[in-house]
C-alpha cells in the first residue's frame, strides 16, 4: 500500500545528500525517512563509511546496494585509482560516470516501490553540476516519467538542490540547523582524502561555496 508520507533519500554521505537528508527528516519525520547508498566501485570509498556513520547517528534506516558491475562496462577517473582527475572548460569532466544517476534512480525506485514509498529525494544540482548531463532537471523529469511508466507506480522524484549553488546549499544546511554537522561529518573529496585534498574539483567547489557563505555571515573562512 502506498505511503505518501515516507521518503527515500539517495545518500552518499556527501554535503549535498546529507543536506537533503536533514531536510527530509525535517519535512517527513525521522521515522518516515530511509536512505539508500550505492557502492559502485568509487575510489573515494571513504564516503561509504561516512554515509553509514551519518545514517546511524541520525537514526535512519540505510540500505546499501552494490552496483559495482558498472565497472565492467565503463571506466572513468572516479573509479580508476591511477587516473588523474581533470576538468576542463569545454570537455566532459573525466569524473563523469556514464549512466550512474539513471542506474541509481532505477534501483532506488525498485526498492522504494517495495517499501510503499513514492517520494525519492536526490541531491543533483543543475547550477553547480560540473557539466554532468545526468544532473540536469530535464533528465530527472524524463526519468521520473520513465519509472512511473515502467512500474505503473506514482514515483515523485524530488530535487531540492536543483537550482541552488554551493553557497545556497550551505545556507540551507544552516537553516536546518545542520551547518556544523555537514561541515564536520560529510565527505566530498574525489580522491578520498579525509578532510579533503583541497585540490580536486569537488573540494574546490565545496570550499568556495562554504567560504562565500561564511563571508556573507561575517564569519572567518575555513
Amino acid at each position: 500500500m502506498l505511503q505518501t508520507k515516507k521518503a527515500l533519500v539517495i545518500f552518499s554521505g556527501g554535503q549535498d545528500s546529507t543536506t537533503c537528508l536533514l531536510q527530509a527528516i525535517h519535512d517527513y519525520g525521522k521515522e518516515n525517512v530511509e536512505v539508500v547508498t550505492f557502492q559502485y566501485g568509487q575510489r573515494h570509498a571513504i564516503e561509504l563509511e561516512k554515509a553509514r556513520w551519518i545514517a546511524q547517528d541520525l537514526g535512519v534506516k540505510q540500505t546499501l546496494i552494490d552496483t559495482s558491475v558498472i565497472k565492467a562496462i565503463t571506466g572513468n577517473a572516479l573509479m580508476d585509482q591511477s587516473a588523474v582527475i581533470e576538468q576542463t572548460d569545454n570537455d566532459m569532466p573525466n569524473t563523469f560516470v556514464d549512466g550512474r544517476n539513471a542506474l541509481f534512480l532505477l534501483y532506488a525506485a525498485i526498492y522504494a516501490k517495495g517499501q510503499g514509498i513514492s517520494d525519492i529525494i536526490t541531491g543533483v544540482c543543475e547550477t553547480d553540476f560540473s557539466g554532468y548531463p545526468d544532473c540536469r532537471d530535464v533528465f530527472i523529469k524524463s526519468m521520473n516519467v520513465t519509472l512511473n511508466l515502467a512500474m505503473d507506480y506514482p514515483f515523485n522524484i524530488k530535487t531540492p538542490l536543483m537550482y541552488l549553488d554551493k553557497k545556497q546549499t550551505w545556507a540551507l544546511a544552516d537553516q536546518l540547523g545542520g551547518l556544523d554537522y555537514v561541515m564536520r561529518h560529510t565527505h566530498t573529496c574525489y580522491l578520498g582524502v579525509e578532510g579533503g585534498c583541497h585540490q580536486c574539483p569537488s573540494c574546490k567547489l565545496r570550499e568556495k561555496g562554504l567560504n562565500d557563505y561564511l563571508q556573507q555571515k561575517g564569519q572567518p573562512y575555513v
Side-chain angles (χ1 to χ4, degrees):
M1 181 178 293
L2 185 63
Q3 300 174 19
T4 57
K5 295 298 183 182
K6 295 185 69 175
L8 179 69
V9 179
I10 296 177
F11 185 59
S12 71
Q15 174 196 354
D16 293 342
S17 65
T18 302
T19 302
C20 287
L21 176 55
L22 293 173
Q23 186 180 59
I25 290 172
H26 176 271
D27 292 346
Y28 294 82
K30 179 173 63 176
E31 68 280 5
N32 296 314
V33 175
E34 295 187 31
V35 300
V36 61
T37 301
F38 294 96
Q39 156 61 33
Y40 60 93
Q42 59 267 53
R43 64 193 288 182
H44 53 308
I46 185 177
E47 73 174 9
L48 298 175
E49 300 171 17
K50 298 291 186 181
R52 185 182 306 110
W53 187 92
I54 292 169
Q56 291 177 349
D57 186 61
L58 295 178
V60 297
K61 178 183 176 183
Q62 180 192 36
T63 299
L64 180 67
I65 299 178
D66 186 349
T67 56
S68 58
V69 65
I70 197 172
K71 294 182 70 175
I73 55 176
T74 188
N76 58 80
L78 214 57
M79 298 187 294
D80 183 350
Q81 295 287 345
S82 62
V84 176
I85 290 178
E86 300 174 333
Q87 182 169 3
T88 65
D89 292 334
N90 300 317
D91 299 327
M92 182 79 69
N94 68 350
T95 51
F96 174 63
V97 183
D98 284 313
R100 180 178 59 173
N101 282 342
L103 188 66
F104 287 0
L105 287 167
L106 172 61
Y107 277 84
I110 294 170
Y111 177 80
K113 182 180 179 182
Q115 302 302 309
I117 298 172
S118 62
D119 290 358
I120 299 172
I121 300 171
T122 179
V124 297
C125 171
E126 192 171 281
T127 305
D128 283 335
F129 74 133
S130 301
Y132 294 177
D134 61 359
C135 288
R136 295 176 297 176
D137 186 60
V138 64
F139 163 73
I140 298 297
K141 283 184 168 58
S142 69
M143 194 69 182
N144 202 151
V145 172
T146 296
L147 292 171
N148 288 7
L149 291 172
M151 287 180 255
D152 193 22
Y153 192 81
F155 295 110
N156 180 25
I157 302 177
K158 296 187 172 185
T159 54
L161 310 183
M162 180 57 73
Y163 298 112
L164 304 185
D165 59 24
K166 278 293 181 287
K167 175 183 174 182
Q168 293 168 318
T169 301
W170 283 113
L172 176 59
D174 200 9
Q175 292 165 16
L176 293 165
L179 179 63
D180 187 65
Y181 192 90
V182 175
M183 286 174 59
R184 291 177 180 274
H185 299 303
T186 65
H187 177 85
T188 303
C189 178
Y190 282 155
L191 297 179
V193 176
E194 179 78 40
C197 70
H198 314 296
Q199 298 298 321
C200 73
S202 185
C203 278
K204 289 180 178 178
L205 193 61
R206 171 187 172 121
E207 291 169 9
K208 181 182 185 302
L210 178 57
N211 284 328
D212 286 348
Y213 179 62
L214 292 178
Q215 183 181 33
Q216 177 181 298
K217 289 189 67 177
Q219 294 184 9
Y221 283 21
V222 296

